[in-house]
Amino acid sequence: MKIGVLALQGDFALHEKALARCDVASVEVRKPEELADVDGLIIPGGESTTLLHLMEEWAFVPALEKFHAAGKPIFGTCAGLIVLARDVERPRQFSFGFIDVGVERNAYGRQRESFEAPGLAVLDGKPTPIDMIFIRAPRIRRVGAGVETLATYQEEPVLARQGSVLVGTFHPELTDNPAVHRYFCGMVLRAAGRPGAGALPSEASR
Ligand code: GLN
């Protein structure tokens, strides 16, 4: 199993480190055709407008739509969540709409541009401590009926999932706590339909 990290902009290198902590191989994805080689994709934080421009410039829009339609898991953090959401406000901008949430960008206000908080997520049915670092974070203002909230901060959803799409308003890759990445790796492994395959020497031996 191999997970791609979209490496057009933002803090992609830290996601690779987080995946390494989960003993999962990662690869930087810079061109749409590279999506064919990965079982899941992380879209990192950064600046969503810049990220969208680069994605459009590099023809990622149809390629990512195809990737999603194939049921391959995608995890978006912060700006990554903004590009995956159904609706985006302040300002309104294009988004893929792969998860039925409405988000407001930079929604914590100037005094709280960045902050850290401990949290508890329910991951695979188990309460799991997580560490949340918010940086000019969006807020999830609306959650559709098909969306599962996995963690909240001050009673608002901050980690959510719909099918193969996982999103967080915070940056788990900036902490040493691998819980959220580990959960995503589990999603990817299950979607690839090869439970335990990551631990096997090679496909060829079967
Ligand atoms: N404020 C950024 C945006 O609106 C997101 C910030 C982040 O990814 N840390 O795109």
Side-chain angles (χ1 to χ4, degrees), residues 129-178:
I130 55 170
D131 296 299
M132 306 184 290
I133 297 183
F134 299 87
I135 301 171
R136 302 186 64 224
R139 282 161 90 160
I140 298 178
R141 296 298 198 185
R142 181 188 65 77
V143 174
V147 177
E148 192 187 352
T149 295
L150 303 176
T152 57
Y153 171 71
Q154 295 186 339
E155 293 173 27
E156 286 179 7
V158 291
L159 185 68
R161 173 177 175 181
Q162 183 170 25
S164 60
V165 181
L166 177 69
V167 293
T169 63
F170 58 94
H171 288 265
E173 77 285 3
L174 291 177
T175 75
D176 293 335
N177 183 336

Side-chain angles (χ1 to χ4, degrees), residues 74-154:
I74 306 174
F75 175 27
T77 56
C78 207
L81 148 65
I82 296 169
V83 306
L84 293 173
R86 171 110 354 128
D87 311 302
V88 179
E89 286 175 61
R90 295 232 282 175
R92 284 191 179 276
Q93 64 188 25
F94 168 84
S95 55
F96 284 90
F98 294 164
I99 181 161
D100 187 17
V101 296
V103 297
E104 182 185 335
R105 295 178 59 198
N106 303 315
Y108 285 101
R110 288 189 159 239
Q111 262 136 41
R112 305 199 65 204
E113 281 209 331
S114 302
F115 58 99
E116 209 172 324
L120 200 64
V122 179
L123 303 176
D124 292 317
K126 280 183 242 120
T128 310
I130 55 170
D131 296 299
M132 306 184 290
I133 297 183
F134 299 87
I135 301 171
R136 302 186 64 224
R139 282 161 90 160
I140 298 178
R141 296 298 198 185
R142 181 188 65 77
V143 174
V147 177
E148 192 187 352
T149 295
L150 303 176
T152 57
Y153 171 71
Q154 295 186 339

Side-chain angles (χ1 to χ4, degrees), residues 22 36 48 69 95 116 184:
C22 303
S48 57
S95 55
E116 209 172 324
F184 181 63

